[in-house]
Amino acid sequence: MKKFIDSPFVKAMSEVTANMYRQGWDERNGGNISYLIDDKYIKQYFPKEKVIRDIPMTFAADPIVRNKCFLVTGTGKYFKNVMKDPETNLGLVRIAKNGKVAHLLWGYKGGGKFTSEFPAHIMCHTERLKVNPNNRIIMHTHPTYTMCMGASTPVSEKEFTKRLWTSNTEAIVVFPEGIGVLPCMVCGTNLIGEETAKKMRKFRIVSWTNHGIYGCGNDMDEAFGLIETVEKTAMVYMISLGHVVNVIPPKVLVGLCKLWHLHPMHGVFKELDVIK
């Protein structure tokens, strides 16, 4: 029987967490990732599932994610340690049929449990699956320049998006729907999970002011690349702040949208609002 520790899912999680730590985005035990894994793969590693223990949840998961399996980073765990000891720093859980318990199938060795942001992850998976049934990744991290932008930009989705779109031509191409923004809130609560999930009905990226960012995708590369593009653009914006001579004009943004058949967020530029 195949060992789950050798699976491509554990490998992908190990590689991306190590990369994010090297980027300087996930200090100490900051950041968390959840990976929805289809049952057709789970059965290859666990033909007869044996529950190690049950982990109570602080909310009732939506039926759309009940009985589904998620590989999730652990609470209090460091991204830098995932690759060298995945079985301690990661856990594979199946959401119970009642939505109130997570059955641990693998990992969290030594008595660990899922990240404190698990409510936000599962709520975001719920909303993204309703929009995109192929979504598999929810990724939370603390990218430096994105946080700087959040601290120096009004809590406004249109303003945040405008500053990014006009700083890098890749921005509107990668996230034409714009950036969701939440004010500073207490993290690790059901409330911030609920508010983030609401934003993810429309946006694939949500900025948590003074904290970090949430992103999603069909796979690790897509989710990471989305956040990476936001962070690179935020870096360009913050480094050049106060010294900008050239910004991307609306007519170029219009041209990019027409070239790539994009439907950009309304209300940022009137020139973009007429694109069909």
Side-chain angles (χ1 to χ4, degrees), residues 146-156 160 180-186 192 206-213:
T146 305
M147 290 181 66
C148 289
M149 265 199 75
S152 59
T153 302
V155 181
S156 163
F160 204 111
V181 177
L182 286 177
C184 187
M185 299 176 67
V186 177
I192 197 169
V206 180
S207 170
W208 282 8
T209 303
N210 304 121
H211 186 137
I213 194 170

Side-chain angles (χ1 to χ4, degrees), residues 15 43 61-62 117 119 127 140 147 171 174-175 184 192 201 213 230 254 264-265 273:
E15 289 178 346
K43 291 176 182 177
D62 188 273
E117 303 291 1
E127 295 306 322
H140 170 56
M147 290 181 66
V174 175
F175 45 94
C184 187
I192 197 169
R201 294 170 186 169
I213 194 170
V230 173
V254 169
M265 178 183 182
D273 291 345

Side-chain angles (χ1 to χ4, degrees), residues 95-108:
I95 306 299
K97 291 180 180 179
N98 65 8
K100 298 179 180 179
V101 171
H103 302 310
L104 179 63
L105 304 181
W106 175 90
Y108 298 147

Side-chain angles (χ1 to χ4, degrees), residues 50-67:
K50 181 180 179 181
V51 177
I52 299 172
R53 55 188 162 91
D54 285 344
I55 306 175
M57 305 199 312
T58 59
F59 64 103
D62 188 273
I64 199 172
V65 293
R66 295 181 189 181
N67 205 36

Side-chain angles (χ1 to χ4, degrees), residues 99-204:
K100 298 179 180 179
V101 171
H103 302 310
L104 179 63
L105 304 181
W106 175 90
Y108 298 147
K109 189 172 63 177
K113 61 178 289 187
F114 42 67
T115 170
S116 62
E117 303 291 1
F118 196 55
H121 279 257
I122 294 301
M123 292 174 191
C124 287
H125 275 289
T126 296
E127 295 306 322
R128 288 310 302 173
L129 286 171
K130 293 175 183 177
V131 175
N132 171 21
N134 295 317
N135 193 86
R136 293 294 176 269
I137 308 295
I138 297 294
M139 186 177 287
H140 170 56
T141 184
H142 307 158
T144 306
Y145 288 96
T146 305
M147 290 181 66
C148 289
M149 265 199 75
S152 59
T153 302
V155 181
S156 163
E157 289 161 356
K158 291 177 182 178
E159 187 59 36
F160 204 111
T161 298
K162 179 180 179 180
R163 296 182 188 196
L164 292 174
W165 281 359
T166 55
S167 298
N168 176 6
T169 53
E170 291 295 306
I172 196 170
V173 175
V174 175
F175 45 94
E177 75 272 29
I179 304 289
V181 177
L182 286 177
C184 187
M185 299 176 67
V186 177
C187 54
T189 65
N190 289 356
L191 178 60
I192 197 169
E194 292 164 1
E195 294 302 314
T196 307
K198 288 178 186 176
K199 295 290 183 183
M200 281 208 160
R201 294 170 186 169
K202 180 179 179 181
F203 303 104
R204 290 172 297 144

